[in-house]
């Protein structure tokens, strides 16, 4: 499949954007830089003589793990998500879409400035109550948004995600060399991989994830999708969005708040602030699965924890899944 590659030279990108009328009159590209390490897609910051903006393009593979195939049309899902969210209350927390090209799997977005993603909370070992309250408010607004008929099912990307959340981390022989990540982690993981009752519950929740639901989800609501600059907080990267169950987003959020803070207090705060009716047991099950898959799966986090601390998190996650 042939489409314009935004990794092209500046003069080629200048011509491409000019021909698409995406540039302002007399606008010239000065520099192209990477705003951060993208996991799924190619993301570039374009600085011109008049402004800066972000270009985001999907590939037929995961950008960070290029041996893993991924559906190209995930950028269309992200575009549909942003155009669906028309909530003035949370507009300040989302980037604006400036242009979109379906044939080149490319989106031009507002540059949110030199933000940093909230993975720093893992090192800080804390996430503020204020941040949690804002994140819950944004998530509730997303979940209350009425999506148009025909919103993408995103099933191909969900199936890929399903393997890495609900299947591969719980297989004894999955090809992941956990001791390469941290010596002793492989042995630590074995009781959970051999737990047939746990496997049954994980499979049940995973089947729910693959089913179509009625709630618009962000789909990847974790610190890598949360950006901050001073007191402002943004939510980005909704390419995993689909119509599902609210407990999935909430559970993922809770899991990362727990891993960052190393305590259970965020669970009660999220439940207190989230305004809609949910199944708290299912939410905790999702959270527990997310904690486990981030500790013993391929999608590792920049989470500096001792083996004993990871053992604590795994035990806690197990109790959340099988209370």
């Amino acid at each position: 499949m042939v489409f314009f590659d935004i990794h092209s030279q500046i003069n080629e990108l200048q011509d491409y954007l000019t021909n698409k009328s995406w540039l302002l009159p007399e606008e010239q590209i000065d520099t192209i830089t990477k705003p951060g390490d993208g996991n799924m897609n190619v993301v570039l910051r374009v600085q011109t003589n008049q402004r800066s903006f972000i270009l985001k393009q999907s590939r037929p593979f995961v950008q960070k793990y290029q041996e893993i195939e991924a559906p190209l049309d995930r950028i269309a899902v992200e575009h549909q998500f942003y155009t669906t969210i028309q909530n003035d209350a949370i507009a300040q927390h989302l980037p604006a879409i400036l242009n979109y090209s379906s044939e080149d799997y490319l989106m031009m977005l507002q540059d949110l400035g030199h933000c940093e993603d909230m993975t720093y909370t893992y090192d800080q070992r804390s996430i503020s109550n204020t941040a949690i309250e804002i994140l819950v408010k944004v998530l509730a607004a997303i979940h209350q948004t009425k999506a148009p008929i025909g919103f993408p099912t995103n099933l191909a990307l969900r199936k890929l995600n399903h393997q890495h959340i609900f299947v591969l981390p719980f297989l004894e022989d999955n090809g992941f060399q956990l001791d390469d990540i941290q010596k002793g982690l492989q042995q630590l993981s074995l009781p959970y991989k051999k737990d047939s009752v746990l496997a049954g519950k994980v499979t049940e929740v995973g089947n729910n994830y693959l089913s179509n639901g009625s709630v618009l989800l962000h789909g990847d609501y974790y610190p890598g999708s949360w950006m901050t600059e001073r007191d402002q907080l943004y939510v980005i990267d909704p390419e995993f969005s689909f119509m599902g169950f609210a407990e999935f987003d909430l559970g993922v959020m809770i899991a990362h708040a727990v891993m960052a803070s190393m305590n259970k207090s965020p669970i009660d705060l999220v439940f207190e602030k989230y305004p809609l009716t949910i199944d708290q047991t299912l939410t905790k099950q999702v959270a527990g699965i997310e904690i486990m898959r981030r500790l013993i799966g391929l999608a590792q986090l920049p989470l500096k924890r001792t083996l004993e601390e990871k053992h604590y998190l795994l035990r806690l996650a197990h109790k959340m899944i099988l209370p």
Side-chain angles (χ1 to χ4, degrees):
M1 183 174 295
V2 178
F3 55 89
F4 181 81
D5 185 345
I6 61 172
H7 276 135
S8 302
Q9 297 298 314
I10 286 183
N11 62 323
E12 295 172 330
L13 184 59
Q14 175 82 37
D15 290 343
Y16 171 82
L17 296 176
T18 299
N19 291 335
K20 295 190 77 65
S21 301
W22 285 14
L23 296 179
L24 303 172
E26 309 302 321
E27 187 172 20
Q28 297 290 320
I29 297 175
D30 290 333
T31 60
I32 302 172
T33 57
K34 288 179 61 178
D37 293 324
N39 284 338
M40 289 297 297
N41 305 294
V42 176
V43 183
L44 301 177
R45 170 177 282 119
V46 179
Q47 182 73 49
T48 76
N49 59 345
Q50 300 187 41
R51 58 176 173 162
S52 66
F53 52 82
I54 299 296
L55 292 178
K56 184 172 185 179
Q57 189 172 48
S58 55
R59 294 285 192 271
F61 47 77
V62 176
Q63 183 65 20
K64 187 174 181 179
Y65 305 102
Q66 297 191 8
E67 70 279 7
I68 301 176
E69 294 182 4
L72 263 169
D73 62 359
R74 61 186 181 273
I75 198 77
V77 176
E78 181 165 351
H79 176 258
Q80 181 70 69
F81 176 93
Y82 282 132
T83 56
T84 296
I85 302 292
Q86 301 294 331
N87 189 314
D88 292 339
I90 63 166
Q92 63 179 315
H93 299 292
L94 302 172
I97 296 177
L98 304 180
N99 285 291
Y100 172 64
S101 171
S102 59
E103 64 271 18
D104 288 320
Y105 307 95
L106 176 64
M107 190 157 50
M108 181 180 182
L109 294 158
Q110 170 193 2
D111 187 352
L112 298 174
H114 290 275
C115 300
E116 61 176 332
D117 67 50
M118 287 184 66
T119 55
Y120 66 78
T121 58
Y122 302 131
D123 285 337
Q124 284 188 349
R125 291 177 175 250
S126 67
I127 180 168
S128 72
N129 288 353
T130 299
I132 289 177
E133 290 176 21
I134 293 171
L135 288 163
V136 171
K137 181 188 77 169
V138 172
L139 194 57
I142 292 170
H143 290 172
Q144 293 176 87
T145 298
K146 183 175 176 58
I149 295 173
F151 188 89
T153 63
N154 212 2
L155 188 57
L157 194 55
R158 259 195 288 164
K159 286 180 177 178
L160 173 64
N161 215 26
H162 175 269
Q163 285 291 303
H164 286 275
I165 298 174
F166 301 100
V167 180
L168 295 175
F170 300 94
L171 297 179
E172 282 191 64
D173 186 13
N174 56 20
F176 303 165
Q177 302 301 319
L178 292 176
D179 280 353
D180 290 345
I181 297 165
Q182 188 171 8
K183 190 170 179 58
L185 188 56
Q186 180 67 25
Q187 186 64 33
L188 191 63
S189 73
L190 290 180
Y192 305 100
K193 294 180 178 183
K194 294 179 178 181
D195 188 331
S196 60
V197 178
L198 177 67
K201 181 55 66 176
V202 171
T203 297
E204 179 185 318
V205 178
N207 288 340
N208 198 351
Y209 174 78
L210 289 176
S211 301
N212 296 326
S214 58
V215 179
L216 179 66
L217 302 187
H218 177 276
D220 198 21
Y221 209 65
Y222 87 114
S225 300
W226 309 333
M227 308 292 290
T228 58
E229 184 182 32
R230 295 188 291 275
D231 294 331
Q232 183 59 282
L233 191 154
Y234 302 100
V235 173
I236 63 169
D237 291 348
E239 65 259 30
F240 285 95
S241 179
F242 68 102
M243 300 298 294
F245 57 107
E247 292 85 355
F248 180 76
D249 274 346
L250 284 163
V252 170
M253 177 188 176
I254 285 172
H256 290 268
V258 167
M259 285 187 283
S261 64
M262 294 299 294
N263 67 67
K264 298 184 289 185
S265 61
I267 301 174
D268 290 335
L269 180 59
V270 171
F271 286 157
E272 176 191 341
K273 296 299 180 181
Y274 187 76
L276 308 176
T277 301
I278 54 165
D279 182 337
Q280 293 190 4
T281 298
L282 177 58
T283 303
K284 290 179 181 178
Q285 288 168 345
V286 171
I289 293 167
E290 175 70 6
I291 289 171
M292 283 196 169
R293 77 100 168 194
R294 291 294 191 169
L295 294 176
I296 61 175
L298 175 64
Q300 292 284 316
L301 300 167
L303 187 69
K304 299 180 181 69
R305 299 292 185 268
T306 66
L307 208 59
E308 290 73 20
E309 288 173 324
K310 289 184 177 180
H311 193 192
Y312 162 77
L313 287 172
L314 287 169
R315 291 197 309 270
L316 175 60
H318 190 271
K319 291 178 182 178
M320 295 169 79
I321 301 167
L322 298 174

